Amino acid sequence: MIIHDAQFLTSNSRAELCPAPTLPEYAFIGRSNVGKSSLINMLTERKGLAKTSASPGKTQLINHFIINDKWFLVDLPGYGYAKVSKTSRAEWTRMINFYLRHRPNLMCVCVLIDSRHSPQATDLAFMEKLGEEGIPFVMVFTKADKQSTAQTKALVTDYLKKMSEIWDELPRYFLTSAETGLGRDELLDFIAEVNQQWVADATPNA
């Protein structure tokens, strides 16, 4: 997939105020400081499209971007640690849960995971919840450039082994780096495949 155009569209605190669900949609979410904004900017090749910050918890709304006028990329608030009040975290959780359960055009959730760390309980619990809700998702391991390839592969194997304890079928996963562009083509090709299925499903039978 070639990104010809990527633009910020709108931010909302309520899922029902999001853009009309007329295009396929992909939500990006992960623990705070996982490198979500950097990954979005790498995928779209638009520096500064998603705002990065040294402070965890900067993303506090449901942020919609429109890509090639054909699909929505959604930047969701992170889960886990953030320097905000318990009340704010509770509000984010309710907002995210409602969005994930009720957004009809949500094709896939891209769960971002820091490839430098061993399996985290918050990540595992979030993915288990997605599975229980029947919400499609893929695992996107970030910051693969920060260590050796062997170390990254070992930690990914640990994650998959941990998940296999409760999952009969493991989700698809991608290795990425916002610095080197690793995984960009693979992730965009996956989105293109799902977009094609969206078009096919929406096309009336001849």
Side-chain angles (χ1 to χ4, degrees):
M1 178 192 295
I2 298 174
I3 304 296
H4 299 289
D5 187 57
Q7 297 183 32
F8 169 75
L9 195 59
T10 184
S11 293
N12 289 288
S13 60
R14 294 166 55 190
E16 57 268 33
L17 298 179
C18 290
T22 55
L23 295 173
E25 188 160 296
Y26 303 83
F28 286 67
I29 190 171
R31 286 184 296 117
S32 298
N33 212 25
V34 75
K36 177 162 50 71
S37 296
S38 296
L39 179 69
I40 290 172
N41 292 337
M42 181 271 282
L43 288 175
T44 59
E45 293 186 327
R46 301 296 191 277
K47 186 177 181 179
L49 182 68
K51 305 302 182 184
T52 59
S53 172
S55 301
K58 183 176 179 61
T59 303
Q60 301 182 18
L61 299 169
I62 302 170
N63 299 304
H64 272 76
F65 302 86
I66 186 165
I67 313 298
N68 291 344
D69 289 325
K70 292 184 176 179
W71 55 280
F72 294 129
L73 186 157
V74 180
D75 182 5
L76 292 174
Y79 54 81
Y81 173 81
K83 293 181 179 180
V84 295
S85 67
K86 291 183 178 179
T87 300
S88 293
R89 287 200 297 270
E91 290 176 353
W92 293 356
T93 298
R94 286 193 295 270
M95 175 180 69
I96 293 169
N97 288 344
F98 187 88
Y99 164 84
L100 293 173
R101 291 170 180 164
H102 300 285
R103 189 67 175 162
N105 59 328
L106 179 61
M107 306 303 292
C108 185
V109 177
C110 295
V111 181
L112 275 57
I113 298 169
D114 193 326
S115 66
R116 300 172 298 175
H117 302 311
S118 58
Q120 301 293 301
T122 49
D123 291 328
L124 295 169
F126 183 75
M127 290 186 287
E128 184 175 356
K129 185 175 181 180
L130 290 176
E132 291 172 350
E133 297 283 348
I135 300 170
F137 73 94
V138 295
M139 303 166 69
V140 179
F141 290 92
T142 64
K143 304 183 181 183
D145 61 290
K146 304 301 183 183
Q147 61 189 357
S148 70
T149 300
Q151 288 174 309
T152 299
K153 289 183 177 179
L155 285 168
V156 170
T157 298
D158 287 344
Y159 252 100
L160 298 178
K161 182 178 180 180
K162 189 69 176 178
M163 293 185 70
S164 67
E165 295 175 4
I166 60 172
W167 290 81
D168 292 329
E169 183 178 350
L170 295 177
R172 191 167 176 175
Y173 71 90
F174 301 87
L175 297 179
T176 69
S177 165
E179 295 295 326
T180 68
L182 173 70
R184 180 178 186 272
D185 290 342
E186 291 79 2
L187 188 50
L188 289 178
D189 285 348
F190 165 73
I191 292 174
E193 291 173 11
V194 180
N195 284 347
Q196 289 178 349
Q197 186 59 51
W198 164 277
V199 172
D201 291 344
T203 302
N205 294 328

